Amino acid sequence: MAKRKKRMNKKLKELIYTLLGFLAVASIIALIILWKGAPTAKMAVSKYYTAVGQKDNKKYIDICYPTKWQKNYHPEGTDVSLDDIVTNALSFQTAATFSDLKIIKKEKLSDEMVAAFNESVKKIYNFDIKASKMYQLTFSMEMHMEGSEVASRNTGFITRYVYKVGGRWYFFADTLVAVDMGLE
């Protein structure tokens, strides 16, 4: 009887440890997926195009703007709402989904370019974003138009920028900063 009880306790402990391990892994995966930004530059691009395809303001804002920037989105002291800006931007997008993202070229930008980005955000939004890295990415992907049975493959390459803040990557989509830096 004592042996049977020990086996039951051992099996119960194993079950508990297995369950705790599963919950830990599931929590980590959920944090990676649901956190603002993305763990990799490629994932930032993917999440951006998912948000655009779904016309999802929250996803768009979370992949383009770290929390601090979202809270300080007052270009040059105005009371313009980031949500309104994104709603307007997404209203010009066609109903499409994107897939098969392939990064063709990944070029790390100079420390001077990162400093120019930080300075531009400081000048326009009056806060220090503290970006640590920036990449210029050239990529291709497939675009599926709503109602179309055929996928249209992007025939050329798309070049965009991503930046890193606090260990997370964000898609660089702020037009005011891009224009100030001479990128658009």
Side-chain angles (χ1 to χ4, degrees):
M1 179 108 154
K3 284 185 179 184
R4 184 173 179 209
K5 190 173 182 180
K6 279 186 178 182
R7 272 188 278 158
M8 292 293 283
N9 283 340
K10 184 177 179 181
K11 286 186 180 193
L12 183 61
K13 284 181 183 178
E14 287 175 0
L15 180 62
I16 290 171
Y17 289 137
T18 302
L19 194 58
L20 287 174
F22 175 76
L23 288 174
V25 170
S27 297
I28 290 169
I29 291 171
L31 280 175
I32 288 171
I33 292 171
L34 300 175
W35 236 4
K36 290 174 177 49
T40 66
K42 181 179 179 179
M43 193 176 218
V45 174
S46 179
K47 287 176 91 172
Y48 171 80
Y49 281 101
T50 297
V52 169
Q54 295 173 352
K55 293 187 177 188
D56 188 318
N57 282 26
K58 181 167 177 21
K59 285 181 183 178
Y60 183 100
I61 290 169
D62 287 348
I63 196 56
C64 295
Y65 298 91
T67 301
K68 187 175 179 182
W69 195 345
Q70 291 177 29
K71 291 179 181 175
N72 289 287
Y73 191 86
H74 305 290
E76 298 170 342
T78 66
D79 274 341
V80 175
S81 160
L82 178 56
D83 194 54
D84 290 343
I85 295 289
V86 172
T87 297
N88 186 50
L90 292 177
S91 72
F92 295 105
Q93 301 297 325
T94 59
T97 56
F98 304 91
S99 63
D100 199 24
L101 173 69
K102 290 187 174 105
I103 303 291
I104 309 301
K105 183 179 174 188
K106 181 171 140 179
E107 181 182 336
K108 183 179 179 188
L109 299 181
S110 68
D111 291 341
E112 291 79 18
M113 186 64 100
V114 176
F117 173 78
N118 287 329
E119 288 168 18
S120 184
V121 171
K122 177 86 171 158
K123 179 172 87 175
I124 295 170
Y125 295 98
N126 198 28
F127 79 96
D128 189 9
I129 190 166
K130 297 180 182 168
S132 60
K133 288 182 187 175
M134 288 183 80
Y135 286 139
Q136 179 181 24
L137 301 176
T138 302
F139 53 91
S140 66
M141 73 178 101
E142 286 195 17
M143 180 173 67
H144 305 269
M145 298 301 294
E146 188 175 292
S148 172
E149 293 179 22
V150 181
S152 64
R153 179 112 179 125
N154 187 317
T155 54
F157 298 110
I158 302 167
T159 300
R160 295 290 183 267
Y161 301 91
V162 293
Y163 62 98
K164 189 174 189 178
V165 173
R168 302 293 290 178
W169 287 96
Y170 296 87
F171 191 90
F172 180 29
D174 191 87
T175 308
L176 294 174
V177 174
V179 168
D180 188 63
M181 291 177 67
L183 297 174
E184 296 230 356

